[in-house]
């Protein structure tokens, strides 16, 4: 079972790809190979050398806490995406990928001094944790190498992995998510609503808000409590315990050994603390309460005033893909001041009173800034190619969009009254503020300090000043005012806390922003110095006596903006179901700000003194990237199966890939000792061109046995068939956020030969069986898709997709006998906005297949389509994807040279589990229902039916020849194996209501994996 779980887990792809193209160089250090793009210039190498120094320091720090991992660690610095992230892999070798753009847009990651230091420390903690193996696991690793089944700590849930890594990102950097108030927002919101989920529901596969963030949020809370109770030595004891247990799922037992308390007991203490915080929290400032404008939670960003009476914002509300919403600012339901007895939950909202209008779709959640008339300027991401995700500026009017920039990497725009645009330009390790003209010309601010990272610029209404957030290398953040050339004029406030979303009041005399220095995000305000009173030197606000709380909410308030008349403020409120847009009176007489800087929060675990050590960039000479050290076999997997004539086969398999994904290979070989036969396969992929991706493969298999008898049916012997294939293909793709197409062209060469128990059975030397046969083949395939789905969708909800595969195959010695084969498939999805945790879906699928009469293979109709998952080599569960399925009848019950099938499904959500019992290492997420009807038919052209029937390619006239149709129902369970790996299990029953002669109408009950289509 452990092998099953982990083999499934390692097949998961990372959340983003690295770019395999171009020149890459490597800096070797004592414990790392640090890779960087050579075509990015001297700055990329300088960044890599500093990252190498940071990695070595983090290694030294972690080696004092845990047993060091085996081997050299590969570290790749990537700058091909406009978001901040990183990931660690332990298979096939230890490796880390860091996306170098600093997290200026991700509020949950803003508590950092050095992004590179934080992300390297976090990911390296994963390597130390997951690489650990003791006892029987270490023995297995000594025999089988880095076999993916032999990493016991990788079998622990994501909340353990992420919670532990968050502890050390904070301990060794002095900041991070342990110290950030945002990391506790989900727990506080759940405590307010009395809906703190049990540990069994902390799955990365959950469909509840905040989805994958659940593992981070609650893992950070519980592992912080564990470290507080058991200390850092307890962390090592816990990691060693899970690394030695034959069954590593016994987490409470390991926690008791490590920390002296079970996780269940510690969660009780965490829950009590969160409930205590919720009980004493206050909502808004002294006068007035919040009124909700949004109907649903999930994710919302950047509420802005369109005028005195309406508010616009971007949202992904769980039921729709990301879009823009507008609401009347005078509508909305008041949020009571009391907390736990009056949580914000969807069931408490009044849809008749809260009816925001969706006016356009967006690729990203970002500000939609009025730009005159009904136009909006906004930023959204797009994919220039399969490996890059860049953010650019667009001008929108209703559903029409016009691109302003291309690959400029711009975000967070704001528009001045005269149309001047300011935005943030993203780079590796830095950002800067720039102007953008209507023609898309990008110009940096002339006087902007360059030794800082910048975020969230906003013009004053008068257009003479800019407010922005400044990130200093020390970890301090500032709310500042700049002049129109980028020169610093006033530092309004700052400190070692998170500050965000500054904006001017309409009269330009005050600034509002959000800050977490009170241990939750709250809205603050201060009066500004008059521009004509600015001194020659920078105005430093040395006293916080005039910085006041403008509004707060018990779980957090974000992204404030003051109405044009200055009387109200709109902001985002954090609740158990996500972010809500709300309005409250704007109060400038609230209490003075209170709270400590991150470094002064004594109730949290201490920082490591070495976090202040000076980092020395590594000076070793760099060399050209070498893939071979990462491609060498690092493990082997034993294979036991069943071969020809039911004899047992024995073999091994292995694989490898470099950190760029430029080269990858996989190989297996199995031997049938009884027959002295062997099967095997070798595949290689090269992605160094980016597009196309090249694939080469070769395989051999003994796959059939034919009995030979004489006229008296006396068995003379058997003939075995061996098929060998050599295949080459090239795959082209053009992915975009809203559309995507892909295509493959290739060639295959098949060699068939035969072996017999008696040589005479193969015939004369000129006989076909003795000579064997050769079949060249050319093939091409393509697909186009506009499919999309919301965050809680039970399936694809909107759009269409078309795909086609066509091949031409001939026998080498009879080239005129070639045969065409083509299959075309189309799917359509239509959402229905009916009650449920997600939208209902009406979907249609149709497939058509055609081949000529010279073919050697026919189309099969019937059976269940799904996903076949390999538990062990040669052992699969589920059903394969079928081109012409009909549920309720046997697979392949009908054959022919032509085929048609169609399916109609009505999919509706039933329930999303909140406290479902979860057996060991399993998680149950939600259940939906599908009502379906299928139809299909395979046939042969009339002149050839009888002839082809004798060859088994067609049905005999009058037998199983005609349409089949069925109807039925499926209960669909979305669950997760090994806590976090999503699986879809379908329990179905289908009953035919139209069948030809020879096809049973008894129906079938089945279990399958994956979506039907």
């Amino acid at each position: 079972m452990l092998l099953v779980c982990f083999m499934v887990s390692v097949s998961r792809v990372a959340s983003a790809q690295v770019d395999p193209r171009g020149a890459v160089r490597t800096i070797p250090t004592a414990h790392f190979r640090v890779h960087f793009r050579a075509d990015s210039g001297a700055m990329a190498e300088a960044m890599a050398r500093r990252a190498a120094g940071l990695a070595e320091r983090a290694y030294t720090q972690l080696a004092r806490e845990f047993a060091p991992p085996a081997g050299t660690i590969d570290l790749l610095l990537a700058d091909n995406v406009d978001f901040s992230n990183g990931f660690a892999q332990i298979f096939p070798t230890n490796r880390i990928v860091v996306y170098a753009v600093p997290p200026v847009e991700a509020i949950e990651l803003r508590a950092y001094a050095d992004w590179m230091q934080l992300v390297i420390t976090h990911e390296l903690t994963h390597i130390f944790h997951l690489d650990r193996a003791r006892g029987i696991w270490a023995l297995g690793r000594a025999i089988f190498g880095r076999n993916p089944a032999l990493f016991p700590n990788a079998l622990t849930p994501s909340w353990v992995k992420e919670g532990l890594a968050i502890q050390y990102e904070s301990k060794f950097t002095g900041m991070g998510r342990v110290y950030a108030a945002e990391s506790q927002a989900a727990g506080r919101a759940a405590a307010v609503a009395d809906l703190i989920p049990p540990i069994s529901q902390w799955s990365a596969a959950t469909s509840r808000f905040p989805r994958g963030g659940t593992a981070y949020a609650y893992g950070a809370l519980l592992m912080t409590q564990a470290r507080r109770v058991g200390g850092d030595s307890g962390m090592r004891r816990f990691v060693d315990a899970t690394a030695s247990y034959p069954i590593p799922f016994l987490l409470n037992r390991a926690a008791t050994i490590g920390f002296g308390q079970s996780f269940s007991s510690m969660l009780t203490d965490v829950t009590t603390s969160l409930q205590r915080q919720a009980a004493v929290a206050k909502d808004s400032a002294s006068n007035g309460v919040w009124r909700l404008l949004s109907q649903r939670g999930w994710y919302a960003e950047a509420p802005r005033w369109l005028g005195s009476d309406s508010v616009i914002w971007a949202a992904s509300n769980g039921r729709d893909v990301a879009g823009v919403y507008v609401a009347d600012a005078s509508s909305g339901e008041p949020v009571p001041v009391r907390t736990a007895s009056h949580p914000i939950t969807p069931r408490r909202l009044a849809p008749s009173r809260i009816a925001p209008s969706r006016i356009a779709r967006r690729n990203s959640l970002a500000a939609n800034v009025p730009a005159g008339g009904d136009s909006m300027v906004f930023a959204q991401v797009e994919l220039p190619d399969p490996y890059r995700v860049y953010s650019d500026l667009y001008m929108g009017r209703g559903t029409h969009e016009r691109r302003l920039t291309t690959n400029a990497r711009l975000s967070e725009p704001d528009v001045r009254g005269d149309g001047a645009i300011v935005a943030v330009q993203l780079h590796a390790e830095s950002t800067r503020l720039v102007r953008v003209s209507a023609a898309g010309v990008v110009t940096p601010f002339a006087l902007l300090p360059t030794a800082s990272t910048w975020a969230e610029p906003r013009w004053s209404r008068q257009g003479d000043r800019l407010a922005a957030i400044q990130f200093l290398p020390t970890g301090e953040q500032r709310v500042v005012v700049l002049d129109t050339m980028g020169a610093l004029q006033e530092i309004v406030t700052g400190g070692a806390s998170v500050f965000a979303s500054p904006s001017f009041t309409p009269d330009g005399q005050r600034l509002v922003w959000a800050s977490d220095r009170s241990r939750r995000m709250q809205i603050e305000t201060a009066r500004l110095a008059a521009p004509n009173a600015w001194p020659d030197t920078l105005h430093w606000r040395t006293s916080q006596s005039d910085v006041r709380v403008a509004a707060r909410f018990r779980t957090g308030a974000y992204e404030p903006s003051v109405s044009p008349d200055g009387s109200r403020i709109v902001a985002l409120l954090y609740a158990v179901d996500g972010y809500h847009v709300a309005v409250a009176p704007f109060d400038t007489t609230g209490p003075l700000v209170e709270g400590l800087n991150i470094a002064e929060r004594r109730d949290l675990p201490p920082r490591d003194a070495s976090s202040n050590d000076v980092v020395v960039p590594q000076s070793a000479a760099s060399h050209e990237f070498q893939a071979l050290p990462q491609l060498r076999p690092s493990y082997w997997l034993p294979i036991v199966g069943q071969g020809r004539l039911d004899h047992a086969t024995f073999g091994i398999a292995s694989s490898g890939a470099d950190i760029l994904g430029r080269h990858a290979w996989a190989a297996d070989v199995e031997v049938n000792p009884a027959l002295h036969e062997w099967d095997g396969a070798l595949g290689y992929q090269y992605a160094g061109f980016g597009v196309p991706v090249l694939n080469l493969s070769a395989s051999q298999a003994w796959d059939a046995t034919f009995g030979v008898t004489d006229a008296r049916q006396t068995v003379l012997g058997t003939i075995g068939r061996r098929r060998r294939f050599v295949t080459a293909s090239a795959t082209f793709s053009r992915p975009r956020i809203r559309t995507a197409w892909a295509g493959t062209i290739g060639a295959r060469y098949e060699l068939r030969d035969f072996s017999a128990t008696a040589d005479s059975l193969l015939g004369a030397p000129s006989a076909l069986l003795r000579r064997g046969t050769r079949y060249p083949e050319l093939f091409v395939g393509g697909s186009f898709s506009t499919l999309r789905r919301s965050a809680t969708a039970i399936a694809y909800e909107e759009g269409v997709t078309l795909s086609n595969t066509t091949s031409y195959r001939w026998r080498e010695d009879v080239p005129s006998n070639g045969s065409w084969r083509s299959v075309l498939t189309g799917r359509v999805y239509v959402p229905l906005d009916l009650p449920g945790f997600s939208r209902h879906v009406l979907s249609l699928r149709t497939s058509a297949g055609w081949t000529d009469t010279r073919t050697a293979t026919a189309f099969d109709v019937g059976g269940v389509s799904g996903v076949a998952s390999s538990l062990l080599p040669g052992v699969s569960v589920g059903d394969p994807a079928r081109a012409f399925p009909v549920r309720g009848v046997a697979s392949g019950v009908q054959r022919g040279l032509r085929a048609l099938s169609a399916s109609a499904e009505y999919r509706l959500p039933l329930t999303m589990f909140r406290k479902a019992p979860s057996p060991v290492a399993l998680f149950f997420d939600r259940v939906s229902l599908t009502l379906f009807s299928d139809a299909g038919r395979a046939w042969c052209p009339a002149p050839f039916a009888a002839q082809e029937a004798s060859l088994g390619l067609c049905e005999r006239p009058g037998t199983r020849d005609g349409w089949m149709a069925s109807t039925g129902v499926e209960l669909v369970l979305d669950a997760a194996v090994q806590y976090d790996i999503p699986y879809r299990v379908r329990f179905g029953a289908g009953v035919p209501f139209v069948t030809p002669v020879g096809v049973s109408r008894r129906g079938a009950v089945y279990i399958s994996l994956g979506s039907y289509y």
Side-chain angles (χ1 to χ4, degrees):
M1 183 60 186
L2 303 183
L3 180 62
V4 169
C5 292
F6 200 82
M7 285 189 67
V8 172
S9 73
V10 298
S11 68
R12 300 172 69 192
V13 298
S15 58
Q17 286 185 281
V18 299
D19 193 338
R21 301 168 296 183
V24 175
R25 295 193 67 79
T26 300
I27 300 172
T29 72
H31 302 101
F32 296 87
R33 290 186 291 258
V34 181
H35 313 290
F36 65 96
R37 297 196 65 86
D39 53 9
S40 297
M43 293 184 64
E45 180 166 356
M47 177 179 69
R49 293 192 178 281
R50 195 175 74 85
L54 290 169
E56 284 294 344
R57 184 176 74 173
Y59 190 101
T60 300
Q61 293 168 324
L62 286 164
R64 294 198 294 263
E65 310 285 334
F66 305 104
T72 301
I73 302 168
D74 288 282
L75 170 60
L76 173 65
L77 304 180
D79 187 29
N80 57 307
V81 297
D82 283 347
F83 54 79
S84 308
N85 204 349
F87 61 87
Q89 294 176 314
I90 52 172
F91 176 80
T93 59
N94 288 323
R95 51 190 65 178
I96 295 170
V97 174
V98 171
Y99 296 102
V101 169
V104 295
E105 293 186 289
I107 193 72
E108 68 274 11
L109 296 176
R110 277 197 180 182
Y112 74 94
D114 185 327
W115 163 244
M116 190 68 69
Q117 179 190 11
L118 186 143
V119 69
I120 287 175
T121 303
H122 181 102
E123 303 303 338
L124 187 57
T125 302
H126 284 320
I127 298 295
F128 272 76
H129 174 210
L130 302 181
D131 189 76
R132 185 70 167 138
R134 303 175 66 212
I136 189 172
W137 302 98
L139 177 62
R141 191 93 63 83
I143 298 172
F144 297 105
R146 299 184 65 82
N147 189 302
L150 300 174
F151 291 84
N153 283 342
L155 300 173
T156 57
S158 288
W159 68 261
V160 170
K161 302 168 190 170
E162 300 302 340
L164 189 147
I166 286 171
Q167 298 310 303
Y168 290 94
E169 81 177 35
S170 291
K171 177 179 181 179
F172 294 135
T173 70
M175 301 190 78
R177 280 166 281 192
V178 166
Y179 299 112
E182 185 64 18
S183 66
Q184 301 184 28
R188 286 198 306 270
V192 165
D194 196 23
L195 292 173
I196 294 179
I199 291 177
S200 62
Q201 297 295 298
W202 297 358
S203 171
T206 181
S207 296
R208 290 190 176 275
F209 178 85
R211 299 196 72 179
T214 300
Y216 288 81
Y218 290 103
L221 287 170
L222 191 54
M223 295 303 280
T224 297
Q225 176 69 10
R227 184 178 162 210
R228 182 185 290 115
V229 170
D232 291 311
S233 60
M235 285 288 185
R236 177 161 188 161
R237 290 193 298 270
F238 170 76
V239 168
D240 285 349
T242 56
S244 60
Y245 285 171
I247 303 177
F249 304 125
L250 306 177
L251 295 177
N252 274 329
R253 179 180 175 184
T256 301
I257 291 176
F259 310 115
Q261 290 186 31
S262 69
F263 282 130
S264 299
S265 174
M266 286 186 279
L267 179 60
T268 300
D269 296 335
V270 171
T271 301
T272 301
S273 175
L274 290 171
Q275 291 172 338
R276 187 184 306 116
Q277 294 177 36
V280 301
K282 296 179 180 179
D283 277 348
S284 62
S286 57
N287 57 335
V289 295
W290 293 99
R291 299 180 67 89
L292 296 175
L293 300 184
S294 57
Q295 190 172 9
R296 299 186 178 278
W298 283 81
Y299 292 98
E301 280 196 25
R304 300 286 180 95
W305 293 88
L306 283 179
S308 297
D309 300 322
S310 59
V311 173
I312 186 171
W313 68 91
S316 174
N317 61 19
R319 285 180 69 91
D320 298 289
V321 295
V324 185
Y325 295 81
V326 176
D328 183 348
S330 63
S331 67
E333 176 189 2
V335 181
V337 174
R338 291 183 59 82
T339 56
S341 61
H342 295 88
I344 296 179
T345 59
R347 62 180 178 270
R348 294 197 61 251
L349 305 182
S352 61
R353 297 185 58 194
I354 307 175
S357 300
R358 179 184 169 93
I359 61 173
R361 181 185 175 186
R362 293 289 185 264
N363 296 351
S364 310
L365 298 185
N368 288 263
V369 186
D374 58 353
S375 296
M376 299 284 166
V377 169
F378 57 92
Q380 65 181 4
V381 297
E382 189 53 277
L383 288 78
D385 55 50
Y387 308 103
R388 294 180 295 166
V389 182
Y390 284 168
S391 179
D392 276 287
L393 299 191
Y394 293 75
M395 178 79 74
R397 179 173 295 172
T399 58
H400 175 73
E401 298 176 3
R402 178 173 64 89
R403 191 165 189 160
L404 297 180
T405 64
T406 300
N407 299 341
R409 310 187 68 177
L410 301 175
S411 67
E412 300 181 333
D414 195 47
V415 183
R416 196 165 59 181
D418 62 357
I421 300 173
V422 61
V424 175
Q425 189 167 48
L426 306 171
H427 298 281
E429 287 204 295
S430 68
T431 64
R432 63 180 181 179
L433 303 185
V434 296
R435 289 180 181 269
V436 183
S437 71
V441 177
V442 178
T443 306
F445 280 82
L447 302 179
L448 189 73
T450 58
S452 301
T453 299
W454 298 87
E456 300 183 285
R458 290 284 294 273
W459 292 108
S460 65
R461 180 176 288 267
Q462 296 75 24
D464 59 343
R465 289 174 291 174
L466 281 166
I469 299 295
Q470 181 186 24
F471 298 78
L472 299 181
T474 60
E476 180 185 359
Q477 298 179 26
R478 294 173 174 175
V479 179
V480 302
V481 175
L482 312 170
D483 68 12
T484 57
M485 298 297 291
L488 271 171
Q489 296 296 337
E490 184 172 1
I491 300 173
V492 181
T493 190
S497 293
V498 174
F499 296 86
S501 309
S503 64
F504 293 88
T505 56
D507 59 13
Q509 296 183 14
R510 306 187 70 87
L511 213 59
V512 296
W513 63 89
S515 165
D516 77 339
R517 53 182 151 197
S518 67
R519 299 300 302 277
R520 56 175 172 162
M521 292 298 286
Q522 66 182 10
I523 297 172
E524 301 172 354
T525 184
R527 180 174 291 278
L528 301 175
N532 57 12
W534 287 341
D536 293 335
T537 58
L538 179 65
H539 180 71
W540 227 127
R541 188 183 295 275
T542 57
S543 171
Q544 302 291 342
S545 60
D546 54 350
V547 178
R548 296 182 175 272
V549 177
R552 57 163 67 105
F553 188 66
R554 52 189 175 267
T555 53
Y558 306 76
E559 302 195 42
S561 182
V562 179
S563 63
D565 61 8
S567 65
R568 290 172 293 175
I569 192 167
V570 65
L572 302 177
L573 308 183
Y574 193 97
V576 69
D577 65 329
Y579 295 87
H580 289 264
V581 180
V583 173
F586 178 44
D587 183 13
T588 61
T589 63
L592 297 174
V593 295
E594 298 176 355
L596 302 172
N597 287 334
I598 288 176
E600 299 171 306
R601 293 175 181 171
R602 304 299 183 188
D603 59 322
L604 295 172
R607 296 177 298 160
D608 189 273
S610 63
S611 62
N612 296 320
D613 291 348
V614 175
V615 176
V616 179
Q618 296 292 295
S619 58
S622 67
H623 59 77
E624 187 176 346
F625 173 77
Q626 297 173 348
L628 184 60
Q630 301 165 53
L631 293 174
R632 294 191 184 102
S634 61
Y635 77 102
W636 65 279
L637 178 70
I639 302 173
V640 178
Q642 182 174 302
R644 195 167 65 87
L645 298 179
D646 296 329
H647 291 294
T649 61
F650 307 91
I652 61 173
S654 190
S655 63
D658 66 65
I659 195 170
L660 298 176
R662 183 177 292 176
H663 304 273
W665 67 272
D668 67 86
V669 60
E670 302 91 48
V671 176
N672 186 333
L675 299 178
H676 304 287
E677 297 171 353
W678 64 273
D679 297 348
L682 173 64
Y684 170 74
Q685 177 178 283
Y686 178 73
F689 298 127
V691 177
V693 175
L694 304 180
N695 285 277
L696 297 173
S697 65
S699 65
Q700 170 175 298
W702 291 88
D703 68 339
T705 302
F706 308 99
V708 182
T709 61
D710 60 15
R712 299 179 181 181
Q713 300 301 309
T714 302
V715 176
L716 302 177
T718 60
I719 297 176
R721 182 178 68 180
R722 178 176 63 177
R723 301 176 73 189
R724 289 175 286 177
F725 292 90
V726 177
T727 306
S729 66
T731 299
F732 301 81
S733 60
R734 182 187 178 275
R736 297 291 185 268
I737 299 295
R738 303 187 189 186
T739 63
W741 70 262
T744 298
I745 60 173
R748 180 181 293 114
Y749 191 72
E750 178 185 355
L751 300 88
R752 292 185 184 182
D753 51 28
F754 302 88
S755 175
T757 52
D759 188 65
S760 60
L761 297 178
L762 297 178
S766 61
L768 189 64
L769 289 179
R770 187 175 294 278
R771 289 186 290 108
T773 52
R774 308 291 183 263
Y775 296 93
E777 180 181 353
L778 301 175
F779 58 87
V780 61
S783 65
F784 173 79
S785 173
T786 65
L787 298 183
R788 53 192 180 272
R789 61 187 300 170
S790 64
T792 60
I794 57 178
Y796 284 116
E797 295 178 303
E798 301 179 58
V800 301
T801 180
L802 294 172
S803 61
N804 172 259
T805 58
T806 299
S807 62
Y808 182 72
R809 182 173 179 265
W810 66 96
R811 209 171 84 187
E812 192 173 68
D813 57 340
V814 190
S816 61
N817 200 33
S819 174
W820 288 95
R821 180 185 182 91
S822 184
V823 177
L824 176 66
T825 301
R827 292 179 285 165
V828 179
Y829 299 85
V830 179
L832 304 173
D833 199 8
L834 297 174
F837 62 78
S838 70
R839 294 186 290 181
H840 299 214
V841 180
L842 178 64
S843 61
L844 303 172
R845 176 187 186 272
T846 183
S847 295
W850 177 93
T851 185
D852 56 38
T853 57
R854 296 185 297 272
T855 185
T857 57
F859 297 111
D860 292 338
V861 175
V864 178
S865 183
V867 173
S869 180
S870 177
L871 298 183
L872 295 169
V875 180
S876 296
V877 295
D879 295 280
R882 303 183 190 277
F884 306 101
V886 178
R887 287 164 281 194
V889 301
S891 61
V893 72
Q894 199 177 66
R895 295 167 63 82
L897 307 185
R898 310 285 189 269
L900 285 174
S901 73
S903 298
E905 291 194 344
Y906 178 69
R907 303 170 178 176
L908 63 153
L910 293 182
T911 186
M912 189 181 295
F913 299 120
R914 186 176 294 277
K915 295 185 178 181
S918 297
V920 173
L922 295 177
F923 163 71
F924 297 126
D925 182 38
R926 57 188 178 166
V927 172
S928 58
L929 192 70
T930 298
L931 308 176
F932 68 81
S933 183
D934 297 339
R937 182 189 179 193
W939 73 97
C940 291
F944 307 98
Q947 171 188 343
E948 301 298 334
S950 64
L951 300 177
L953 301 179
C954 299
E955 305 302 338
R956 295 187 181 277
T959 304
R960 294 189 297 180
D961 182 12
W963 282 95
M964 299 180 294
S966 67
T967 187
V969 62
E970 290 183 346
L971 187 69
V972 182
L973 170 65
D974 286 300
V977 176
Q978 197 203 317
Y979 306 103
D980 303 300
I981 304 168
Y983 263 81
R984 171 160 288 185
V985 185
R986 297 172 16 239
F987 304 88
V991 179
F993 60 86
V994 173
T995 59
V997 174
V999 177
S1000 171
R1001 290 197 181 187
R1002 296 181 57 185
V1005 176
Y1006 57 88
I1007 300 176
S1008 191
L1009 299 179
S1011 293
Y1012 184 63
Y1013 62 85

